Amino acid sequence: MKKYAGSFCLIIAAFIWGTAFVAQADAAESIPPFTFSALRSLVGAFVLFVFICARGKVAKKAAPVPGDGKQLIIAGMICGTVLCVAMNLQQYGITVYPEQVNNVPGRSGFLTAMYVVLVPIGGLFFKKKVGLPVWIAAALAVVALWLLCLKNGFGSIYLGDILMLICALAFTVHIITVDTIGSRVDGIKLSCVQFLVAGILSLVLGLIFEQKTSLQTIVQAWLPILYVGVLSSGVAYTLQIVGQSKTEPAVASIIMSMESVFAVLGGWVVFGDLLSGRELLGCGVMFAAVILAQSPSFIQSKKRAYPRKT
């Protein structure tokens, strides 16, 4: 029952993350990227801060977590800076897709999912072994990109596609960074600090590069902001922590990668956008690559999976 409870938590988290692409696409129509990233990050940091305070009151006798304090702040600043780059690339990429592109949330979700394949390959820089399944997954990912983005040759690649691939690379760096420097601090506290840093940096960038967004516009987009900030950053992250504690790392990673599938379904339900047969095949091949890239044969640590990107 504990295993099933963990899987259920992870499925809900994946659903929230996947449908968050729909909320981001909806918000992109009225709020510029840096401003939206700032708002979602600051809301997420606040939600996690409230959760941390509530957890502290419940667990009065809990042992202090090593690394809290200076180490937590340094790790949070580094991870938050990388996260700021990744999430703004993603949000800006969503805004620049032409109107004729079908199911932007689903397309974005599957292209961003490339980070799952890139993370194990990125481990080469840290002298981690990469098994045959990873290289097969990488080859499948290339095939998937051809099916998704090269329908009419290289002329059918959009700026949004390029930004999503760079975004996937940035999330890869973020995940490896968290795995490298964040293992000695409390995970939820680290997430809170990194969201705060990402929110402040995005706010500064928005003030410099974007026109001032009216309060009325922000109020009109309150639902996407709260959905991504509260549910995606706060609730889903907590569900991930709970779910991973009750589920095998390989199984947990595969379940969480379902977010890309939920992104396609969400774009279809909310916007009525249907992918072509070729694009759906590309999504299927990408999902196969994601699952293969997380097979237990090359996951080095059985204690924990790589942390969630956002």
Side-chain angles (χ1 to χ4, degrees):
M1 290 300 294
K2 292 177 68 175
K3 180 177 67 174
Y4 292 131
S7 297
F8 180 75
C9 288
L10 293 173
I11 289 173
I12 298 300
F15 174 80
I16 293 173
W17 287 325
T19 50
F21 281 96
V22 179
Q24 289 176 245
D26 183 50
E29 297 179 1
S30 56
I31 300 181
F34 288 132
T35 302
F36 179 77
S37 295
L39 292 171
R40 65 167 287 187
S41 298
L42 294 175
V43 170
F46 175 75
V47 170
L48 288 170
F49 177 75
V50 172
F51 177 80
I52 290 168
C53 293
R55 184 185 63 173
K57 291 183 178 180
V58 173
K60 295 180 180 179
K61 298 182 179 180
V65 177
D68 278 5
K70 183 179 179 180
Q71 191 171 0
L72 175 64
I73 294 175
I74 293 174
M77 290 179 67
I78 296 173
C79 295
T81 301
V82 180
L83 179 63
C84 174
V85 174
M87 70 165 53
N88 281 297
L89 280 170
Q90 184 184 75
Q91 188 61 26
Y92 183 68
I94 290 175
T95 65
V96 297
Y97 274 110
E99 292 184 1
Q100 69 266 25
V101 177
N102 292 328
N103 205 321
V104 169
R107 190 183 185 102
S108 304
F110 272 95
L111 291 175
T112 303
M114 273 287 292
Y115 77 89
V116 181
V117 179
L118 294 174
V119 165
I121 296 177
L124 287 172
F125 294 98
F126 298 91
K127 298 181 179 180
K128 293 184 178 181
K129 294 182 179 180
V130 176
L132 180 61
V134 178
W135 299 113
I136 296 176
L140 287 175
V142 172
V143 173
L145 291 175
W146 174 70
L147 291 169
L148 266 173
C149 307
L150 295 175
K151 183 178 181 180
N152 299 313
F154 287 100
S156 58
I157 297 179
Y158 302 106
L159 175 60
D161 295 331
I162 297 173
L163 291 174
M164 286 302 162
L165 292 175
I166 301 175
C167 157
L169 181 60
F171 275 129
T172 300
V173 174
H174 175 257
I175 290 170
I176 295 176
T177 302
V178 172
D179 185 65
T180 303
I181 69 175
S183 57
R184 295 187 181 92
V185 298
D186 183 279
I188 298 181
K189 290 182 180 179
L190 174 60
S191 185
C192 180
V193 175
Q194 73 168 0
F195 274 121
L196 179 62
V197 171
I200 293 173
L201 290 176
S202 297
L203 183 61
V204 172
L205 291 170
L207 292 173
I208 296 174
F209 296 106
E210 295 174 346
Q211 293 183 347
K212 185 177 180 180
T213 305
S214 67
L215 181 61
Q216 182 180 1
T217 302
I218 295 175
V219 171
Q220 289 175 347
W222 67 271
L223 185 57
I225 294 171
L226 289 183
Y227 189 89
V228 178
V230 176
L231 292 181
S232 182
S233 302
V235 175
Y237 183 88
T238 305
L239 287 173
Q240 179 202 3
I241 297 296
V242 174
Q244 282 191 229
S245 67
K246 304 176 185 296
T247 312
E248 287 293 325
V251 177
S253 298
I254 291 172
I255 293 175
M256 287 187 288
S257 66
M258 286 288 292
E259 66 171 298
S260 54
V261 177
F262 286 123
V264 171
L265 295 176
W268 172 50
V269 172
V270 175
F271 297 116
D273 288 337
L274 292 174
L275 293 174
S276 66
R278 178 192 173 101
E279 290 169 328
L280 285 173
L281 179 60
C283 291
V285 174
M286 180 69 79
F287 189 61
V290 166
I291 293 178
L292 185 61
Q294 300 172 92
S295 63
S297 60
F298 65 87
I299 293 180
Q300 301 297 318
S301 173
K302 292 295 182 179
K303 295 181 179 179
R304 63 187 177 92
Y306 279 106
R308 163 70 185 161
K309 63 183 188 300
T310 57

